[in-house]
Amino acid sequence: MKTRVKKIIDKYHNDKGFLVPILQDVQKEYNYLNREALNLVSAFLEVPISQLYELGTFYKAFSLKPRGRHEMKLCTGTACHVRGVPLMKDNIERILQIQAGETTPDLEFTFETVNCLGACALGPILVVDGEYHGNLSISKTNRILKKLGKKVKIDEES
Amino acid sequence: MAEMVSLTIDGLKIHAPAGTTILEAATDANIYIPHLCSNEELAPYGACRLCMVEITQGERARLVASCIFEVADGLEVKTNTERVLNVRRLVIELLLARNNKHPALRKIADELGVKETRFPIEQKGCILCGQCVRTCREVVGVSAIGFSGRGITRKVATPFMESPPDCIACGSCVYVCPVQFIPMKEENGVRTIMKYDYPMQKCRKCGQYFAPKKQLEYFSKITNLPLEHFETCVDCR
Ligand code: SF4
Ligand code: FES
């Protein structure tokens, strides 16, 4: 781990001014801000750990808990909401057996809601690993999850 | 000596060194502006917004936080207009929603004629003035504590919500808090801050507990003097 973190820091020439990009790289490397890595960053750059914790909890892009291999973001903005997103949210939560904002214990899926993706015309929208799925429906969420290897019980709606 | 500028505060002509804040200049002239987050030992911050004043520069009158706004030549400052008081009343109501018990806040509310807050009372205690975090960072120099989250979830936090590894148990954060939010006690040679314990050092001569071990270790580290040097209390030296 030491060499991996050192490599990231070297990329930014040991410059404390690049804390956020450094943490972004750490996040990418481990899929979350792992504690040991944060301690190493703190030691290498002589930045108090309190400041790294502050950054890590401030930005939504950072996570202090391990995240799933697949990231799903469901838009709950007004336009998506009126087109039935709450039902799709329930469906995803039921299939993954987690609540929005959580990660499945097998670290396969992280499911979150976001407030508006700025693409209301396509709503409801689900972003899966950076890919936008517009005009979402319950059956579409079933299909997407199935494709990602989730056993989905097909029920009446589809 | 810094260059002097002249301005008026509530009609009074005032000379102040360039670079001072309106709040400092007013305080020097014995003009009271309520404030909670500003502290002369710390860098200007501007979090609580209680110290709002109205300034006129040229044509336009506007509201600024006096603890971060620097004096300038020809500036007209008013600390008591209806517009100012309205903002302060709103601010104190918001603060009361976080803590409607503390005498320091109640006193400011009384001065402004505010009896109770219209907002749901959350009784968080902490008003997020940041004095503890800033003191630990700027004065103590260890930055053991910080904030976590943002917006409505923002709070003063130790890293990972656990015992802060860099804390030297000096108690400065406890001392500086305007609403005594951080508890500290000392019992049987142990100082407890928040819920974390720090052993105290007994004086090598008189045998009294006198300072947290971690603080003495820190002194020894920054002064490059042997630890024993600090293990005698000030009275016995
Ligand atoms: S007691 Fe610890 S957290 Fe508080 S100011 Fe001192 S070093 Fe910082
Ligand atoms: S004292 Fe100026 S914003 Fe708090």
Side-chain angles (χ1 to χ4, degrees), chain B residues 9-131:
Chain B
I9 304 184
D10 292 342
L12 204 70
K13 262 220 153 341
I14 284 174
H15 299 277
T20 49
T21 62
I22 295 177
L23 179 63
E24 284 170 316
T27 309
D28 286 344
N30 261 326
I31 295 169
Y32 168 70
I33 300 174
H35 54 94
L36 275 169
C37 67
S38 119
N39 181 326
E40 53 184 35
E41 303 300 328
L42 303 172
Y45 192 58
C48 74
R49 313 315 275 183
L50 251 186
C51 67
M52 299 301 280
V53 295
E54 194 169 334
I55 61 163
T56 316
Q57 234 175 349
E59 300 276 283
R60 230 158 53 95
R62 60 188 177 119
L63 294 172
V64 296
S66 62
C67 69
I68 44 176
F69 200 92
E70 289 180 8
V71 294
D73 248 330
L75 198 68
E76 268 175 57
V77 181
K78 296 202 183 102
T79 70
N80 261 318
T81 63
E82 202 42 41
R83 199 169 159 208
V84 166
L85 294 178
N86 268 336
V87 174
R88 285 199 200 138
R89 286 187 202 113
L90 178 67
V91 169
I92 194 70
E93 278 194 60
L94 288 165
L95 292 171
L96 286 178
R98 294 187 66 91
N99 181 338
N100 76 343
K101 299 237 160 66
H102 197 277
L105 299 175
R106 289 252 70 121
K107 180 171 162 272
I108 292 172
D110 284 346
E111 288 166 4
L112 291 166
V114 171
K115 298 227 159 49
E116 212 23 277
T117 172
R118 285 166 289 172
F119 303 105
I121 295 168
E122 295 175 359
Q123 219 61 284
K124 293 221 158 67
C126 170
I127 54 166
L128 294 176
C129 72
Q131 290 201 58

Side-chain angles (χ1 to χ4, degrees), chain A residues 33 35 38-39 42 48-51 53-55 57-60 64, chain B residues 137 143-150 157-162 165-166:
Chain A
L33 292 183
R35 182 131 171 203
L38 284 186
N39 282 331
S42 158
I49 190 72
S50 67
Q51 254 163 53
Y53 184 73
E54 207 167 291
L55 282 176
T57 58
F58 187 88
Y59 293 106
K60 260 241 162 114
L64 293 166
Chain B
R137 191 168 296 169
S143 224
I145 52 176
F147 291 103
S148 76
R150 60 171 163 178
T158 57
F160 306 100
M161 301 313 245
E162 290 172 10
D166 297 327

